[in-house]
Amino acid sequence: MRGLFQTLLALILIAGSGGQAAAASPSTSTDLVVVMKSERVLYLYQAGHVVAQYPVALGASPRGTKQMAGDNKTPIGAYTLDWRNPNSDFHRSLHISYPDTEDRAQAAVLGVPPGSNIMIHGQPSYDDRLRTGDWTNGCIAVSDAAIDDIPIQRLIHVDGAHGLGRGTQGIQPVRVNRADG
């Protein structure tokens, strides 16, 4: 399954890497979401081109990947945005398919629960205080406007400090600036 996933991702990233960025709105044209933890940026891709990018806040302990519940880390790897939370405490939230089989196996080796309910979400709806830096419990926080542009049922890759995470070896996102007009 990982091999098929990697092949599909490579095709998505390679397709169209020589043309101009798509003009469609990010929410209707996105086929891949890439979060570069080290840069604190979320990129939306369509046919290998960046169509939008947004700053992010990560878990309060951002270095490394999530290993267990309560570690305040954002997982690194290849996942899917698989469902929208209709009862979110935030302005819209999209579930990341963490933990997968490998994440659960790694947690089992450590003898700890892997954690769950990792989301990309907007700002909290329960208060209006300004948040700065990395403040989530392992989720990826974006602005309310940004979360409205991110569709569900898309592939998502969350990178570590030096390239993409587990399940994405050898794949680098194509960075193409948006067309100027």
Side-chain angles (χ1 to χ4, degrees), residues 31-98:
D31 52 27
L32 175 66
V33 178
V34 175
V35 176
M36 304 297 284
K37 284 177 61 173
S38 58
E39 298 174 16
R40 302 300 191 275
V41 177
L42 179 145
Y43 295 95
L44 299 181
Y45 283 83
Q46 194 272 324
H49 298 281
V50 174
V51 294
Q53 66 184 55
Y54 304 100
V56 300
L58 303 171
S61 297
R63 291 189 185 265
T65 191
K66 184 160 203 64
Q67 294 184 324
M68 61 185 221
D71 65 6
N72 290 323
K73 294 185 180 293
T74 302
I76 295 171
Y79 301 98
T80 301
L81 296 174
D82 54 1
W83 54 270
R84 182 176 294 127
N85 179 359
N87 301 312
S88 180
D89 288 334
F90 299 87
H91 177 78
R92 193 170 175 217
S93 63
L94 306 174
H95 183 258
I96 297 172
S97 62
Y98 175 91

